[in-house]
Amino acid sequence: MANQEITNLPDYLEIIIGLMPGHVYWKDTNSVFLGCNDLQAKDAGFTSRYEIIGKTDYEMPWREQADILIKIDREVMETGTPITVEEPSKLADGTDAIFLTKKVPFYHNGKIIGVVGISFDITKQKETEQKLQEIQYKLAGMTTVSAVIAHELRTPLAALDANANSLQKYFPELIKCYQLAREANLPVSLIREDKFKLLSTRIEAMREEIKSAFTFIDMQLINLNYAEIKQGDVEIFSIKECIEEAIIRYPFDASQRDFLQVLDHHDFYVKGNKILLIHLFFNLIKNALYSIAAAGKGNILISLGIRKCNGLKLVYVTTLLLSS
């Protein structure tokens, strides 16, 4: 059996060459085709791979690209150096394609007698790359615009905060003057008692809203990779206070806050960037609330504590979504 296989080796090689993946072909020093595999013949419009013998690229469906292809052939044969290149082509069915091609010199008895090439159709990959590039350009544009908007919002917010700060500074005096005017029966408009108490807290609430807006902008800039985290942003802070600040700043809707409970059995201190950690808690809360809304039930439990494991002291923060 082994002897028979050896005897039939040329036949096997013919079959193997015909079935090889990609486009396989070889040419003489004049770039005249000496042979090819089945796929090359098919895309050239031939029924047999032997029909390509004696023809040139000028007689193929990709004749418009023949000058480029033959120029590459000659460079390989003149330099004796393999070349890998992307080649445009047109197939027999009229399809435009791009091939990733490697051409090597074809040697016989130490002399270059032609060129051997193998090409793989990468048209779909190139189209995908083009689409991805277009998406990246669009995302980059959207990111830039979003970052510009976020930065521009800081200016009016800073002005509002400065005005609120000034108002908060002098508001106690205004209240005192109003009370004295009322006691002296001066002609000042009456402010209802409930409204009067509300006014005393509105300025601080306004400043908290402005602070939350700044936090939201910071979070967006971090998401857009526009906020640089510097060494100076690292600090030591209480994890409990960090969680409380995240909960205070998070924009809960209606009764969403009622879903959340914090078990602060053990507080501990961490060293890091507080804004990033608050941002992390924002995402955890947002994802948990989304799941609760989807399921129509559930509660959020945040637990922090300290445990010992193999002689080591471990600190932890866990966020659990519990079904009810």
Side-chain angles (χ1 to χ4, degrees):
M1 182 65 181
N3 290 334
Q4 184 179 356
E5 290 180 354
I6 294 173
T7 302
N8 295 332
L9 185 58
D11 295 333
Y12 285 144
L13 291 177
E14 281 291 311
I15 295 173
I16 291 171
I17 291 173
L19 297 177
M20 286 183 70
H23 287 201
V24 182
Y25 49 89
W26 49 102
K27 307 175 183 178
D28 64 16
T29 53
N30 294 315
S31 288
V32 175
F33 283 98
L34 300 175
C36 70
N37 66 339
D38 291 342
L39 186 56
Q40 172 80 356
K42 175 179 175 294
D43 284 341
F46 300 127
T47 56
S48 167
R49 61 192 182 91
Y50 298 105
E51 294 178 46
I52 201 172
I53 298 174
K55 293 181 172 58
T56 67
D57 289 302
Y58 292 105
E59 300 170 82
M60 301 297 164
W62 52 84
R63 61 182 60 87
E64 293 181 3
Q65 292 82 32
D67 287 341
I68 298 174
L69 304 180
I70 292 175
K71 181 180 179 181
I72 296 171
D73 293 345
R74 289 173 179 169
E75 184 176 349
V76 171
M77 290 184 284
E78 289 172 1
T79 63
T81 304
I83 290 180
T84 301
V85 66
E86 291 183 7
E87 294 180 333
S89 185
K90 183 179 288 291
L91 308 183
D93 60 2
T95 303
D96 289 319
I98 299 176
F99 287 88
L100 180 62
T101 298
K102 182 165 187 177
K103 294 183 176 180
V104 299
F106 185 7
Y107 283 92
H108 181 67
N109 293 330
K111 181 182 178 181
I112 295 177
I113 61 170
V115 62
V116 177
I118 180 167
S119 305
F120 289 95
D121 191 342
I122 59 170
T123 307
K124 291 184 178 180
Q125 292 92 316
K126 297 298 290 186
E127 290 174 352
T128 301
E129 288 176 7
Q130 179 65 29
K131 290 178 181 178
L132 287 175
Q133 191 175 52
E134 291 174 358
I135 292 173
Q136 288 174 347
Y137 285 147
K138 290 179 180 179
L139 288 176
M142 293 170 61
T143 298
T144 300
V145 171
S146 299
V148 170
I149 292 174
H151 280 298
E152 290 299 321
L153 284 174
R154 288 180 178 274
T155 300
L157 283 174
L160 286 173
D161 189 47
N163 291 331
N165 183 45
S166 298
L167 187 59
Q168 188 175 38
K169 180 179 179 181
Y170 295 107
F171 193 68
E173 290 297 322
L174 294 175
I175 294 177
K176 184 178 179 181
C177 291
Y178 171 79
Q179 292 172 333
L180 290 175
R182 293 291 300 169
E183 292 171 0
N185 294 318
L186 295 176
V188 293
S189 300
L190 175 65
I191 302 176
R192 285 168 36 191
E193 184 67 23
D194 59 332
K195 297 293 184 182
F196 189 76
K197 291 181 179 178
L198 187 63
L199 282 173
S200 63
T201 61
R202 287 302 82 195
I203 299 176
E204 182 59 32
M206 184 189 303
R207 298 201 68 192
E208 285 299 322
E209 289 296 329
I210 293 172
K211 186 177 180 181
S212 295
F214 274 123
T215 301
F216 176 77
I217 290 174
D218 288 338
M219 297 300 109
Q220 296 307 309
L221 291 177
I222 289 172
N223 282 337
L224 296 171
N225 294 322
Y226 268 79
E228 295 183 359
I229 306 304
K230 301 177 182 178
Q231 185 63 32
D233 297 324
V234 175
E235 57 183 313
I236 297 176
F237 52 88
S238 161
I239 191 67
K240 177 183 175 183
E241 293 177 1
C242 182
I243 293 175
E244 290 175 348
E245 186 173 345
I247 293 173
I248 290 172
R249 292 187 178 187
Y250 189 86
F252 290 100
D253 292 334
S255 61
Q256 284 183 335
R257 176 63 179 83
D258 298 335
F259 294 126
L260 192 147
Q261 181 182 4
V262 180
L263 301 179
D264 53 347
H265 300 303
H266 298 280
D267 189 16
F268 55 87
Y269 287 80
V270 297
K271 183 178 181 180
N273 185 282
K274 193 173 184 180
I275 291 179
L276 287 180
L277 194 53
I278 290 175
H279 180 56
L280 172 63
F281 289 130
F282 275 13
N283 284 333
L284 291 175
I285 294 172
K286 178 182 70 176
N287 293 338
L289 289 174
Y290 177 84
S291 298
I292 289 175
K297 61 180 181 179
N299 290 287
I300 306 169
L301 178 62
I302 298 179
S303 175
L304 53 143
I306 302 174
R307 289 181 180 176
K308 288 186 177 180
C309 179
N310 296 327
L312 298 176
K313 184 182 290 186
L314 304 177
V315 295
Y316 64 89
V317 178
T318 58
T319 303
L320 301 176
L321 177 60
L322 307 176
S323 298
S324 59

